[in-house]
Amino acid sequence: MRKLRRMKYLIISHPVLRWRVTIQFDTLKIGQMLKECFSEFCLKDDKICSSVPSSRILKVQCTGTGYRIDGIDQELCDLESVIGLLMELISGSFFLTSDVYTFLHGAALEKQGRCHLFIAPTMTGKTTTTAILCTKGYGYFSDDVIAVHNQSLQVVSFPRVMCIRNEKLLADYDMKWERCFKRLSFQVKSPEQYADGFETRACYIPNNTYSVCGSGLNIERIVFLERNQSCMDSIYKKINGFQSFPLLSKNMRDYRQYKTNKSVLMHLIKAVPMYLLTYSDGYTYLSDIGI
């Protein structure tokens, strides 16, 4: 008869967004890996099983042949896949719901006390661009979740660990790029949107990372990234509200928020300069367009 393991708890929270997730697990290594991934968040072990704080809960258990997350109809073969899927769930629309903030899919970085947002779908170079900018003195707010206050339009930090697909691209740009990051002791396997499987990615946390406890910052500009293989030269141009509104809309993390947050998007368009950066491959042009 298989011996039952005692469940452990880890609480991941964001004090500004008033957002909290409790992870329950029976394998200590999962807790250690989560602490590395969310080291910038408020973390706390809850060793009192009789009193779990009220929060959203994700439960992970070892099945003997792998691991299973409650509510997910899929057995995962290794811990790297478990952590990758947990990171996707924690940053997903089910958990990121708020009447005070609008959540966009993109990167947020700081320079001279103001935020620069880089918004793009998956596989368009957003993470690589973010990593390059971190080597150029930009402070790291987020690479995946942009939290915009509905009234002030200020952005607060959501510094989830960066998962990098292709380290060679960064090495080609700057051979010493890793000096600006802390590399995690493991890789993660994230669910691949365009294939039936998981993709292995290296995990990094930029050295210059803003705390989730910090105050929000005003937005200097929003840059939409568009990869176009037929584009011979990169094009960086300012765009108007008619062009930028659909780009903002389709990059909301939860499209169900569209009706209630449409006015926030309109406010952003009127208050913040919008730009479109179109490119094919490579990142050497970034310094030539004021980034």
Side-chain angles (χ1 to χ4, degrees):
M1 183 175 178
R2 187 170 155 234
K3 184 179 178 180
L4 293 176
R5 300 186 185 187
R6 183 179 178 182
M7 298 296 289
K8 304 293 183 181
Y9 302 86
L10 180 68
I11 299 169
I12 302 173
S13 66
H14 194 301
V16 178
L17 299 177
R18 301 197 178 280
W19 164 92
R20 183 168 60 182
V21 179
T22 297
I23 312 293
Q24 298 181 3
F25 49 88
D26 59 5
T27 305
L28 287 177
K29 182 65 176 175
I30 294 176
Q32 295 165 3
M33 294 167 78
L34 281 168
K35 284 182 179 181
E36 282 199 69
C37 288
F38 290 92
S39 61
E40 299 299 325
F41 287 71
C42 297
L43 301 173
K44 162 170 100 165
D45 288 303
D46 182 3
K47 298 177 182 178
I48 305 174
C49 296
S50 61
S51 178
V52 181
S54 176
S55 65
R56 302 182 188 226
I57 297 174
L58 287 171
K59 186 176 181 180
V60 185
Q61 286 186 292
C62 179
T63 64
T65 57
Y67 302 89
R68 190 172 292 278
I69 301 173
D70 276 11
I72 304 297
D73 188 24
Q74 181 179 12
E75 186 172 78
L76 305 168
C77 62
D78 52 41
L79 290 178
E80 289 77 13
S81 299
V82 172
I83 298 300
L85 186 51
L86 282 175
M87 288 175 64
E88 294 296 324
L89 292 172
I90 290 170
S91 300
S93 57
F94 179 74
F95 290 97
L96 295 177
T97 55
S98 172
D99 295 328
V100 182
Y101 286 87
T102 295
F103 298 100
L104 301 173
H105 179 238
L109 297 112
E110 175 274 342
K111 195 164 189 179
Q112 298 179 342
R114 295 180 71 86
C115 248
H116 300 253
L117 307 188
F118 298 88
I119 295 178
T122 302
M123 300 292 288
T124 53
K126 172 179 55 62
T127 298
T128 305
T129 299
T130 303
I132 288 174
L133 294 177
C134 287
T135 70
K136 291 178 167 292
Y138 282 74
Y140 180 60
F141 258 58
S142 173
D143 172 52
D144 190 61
V145 176
I146 300 174
V148 182
H149 193 276
N150 291 344
Q151 299 300 320
S152 69
L153 300 185
Q154 288 191 328
V155 176
V156 297
S157 181
F158 195 99
R160 197 191 76 168
V161 64
M162 295 178 65
C163 299
I164 298 176
R165 288 185 176 88
N166 193 339
E167 296 167 283
K168 184 178 182 303
L169 283 175
L170 293 169
D172 289 344
Y173 187 85
D174 182 352
M175 292 183 64
K176 298 180 180 179
W177 71 276
E178 286 187 277
R179 71 192 184 282
C180 299
F181 299 83
K182 171 192 171 185
R183 181 166 186 167
L184 271 59
S185 61
F186 56 91
Q187 295 184 317
V188 300
K189 295 180 180 178
S190 301
E192 177 55 53
Q193 283 188 321
Y194 306 104
D196 185 19
F198 286 68
E199 180 183 50
T200 301
R201 305 181 193 180
C203 297
Y204 291 88
I205 298 175
N207 294 335
N208 187 12
T209 298
Y210 268 73
S211 169
V212 294
C213 298
S215 58
L217 293 182
N218 294 325
I219 304 171
E220 179 72 16
R221 62 176 164 176
I222 296 178
V223 180
F224 299 98
L225 301 179
E226 178 183 80
R227 177 172 285 168
N228 187 339
Q229 297 295 339
S230 63
C231 180
M232 299 298 294
D233 298 309
S234 59
I235 301 171
Y236 179 65
K237 63 180 182 181
K238 192 171 184 178
I239 57 177
N240 58 36
F242 179 78
Q243 296 166 302
S244 57
F245 185 80
L247 296 175
L248 273 178
S249 300
K250 75 177 183 180
N251 283 291
M252 295 181 69
R253 291 203 65 91
D254 184 0
Y255 196 71
R256 291 172 297 180
Q257 285 188 311
Y258 174 74
K259 287 185 178 180
T260 55
N261 294 51
K262 181 179 178 180
S263 60
V264 179
L265 303 186
M266 296 299 296
H267 190 186
L268 273 174
I269 289 169
K270 293 176 182 178
V272 180
M274 306 274 174
Y275 298 87
L276 178 64
L277 171 58
T278 305
Y279 67 99
S280 55
D281 293 304
Y283 297 88
T284 56
Y285 59 80
L286 287 176
S287 59
D288 299 327
I289 58 176
I291 294 181

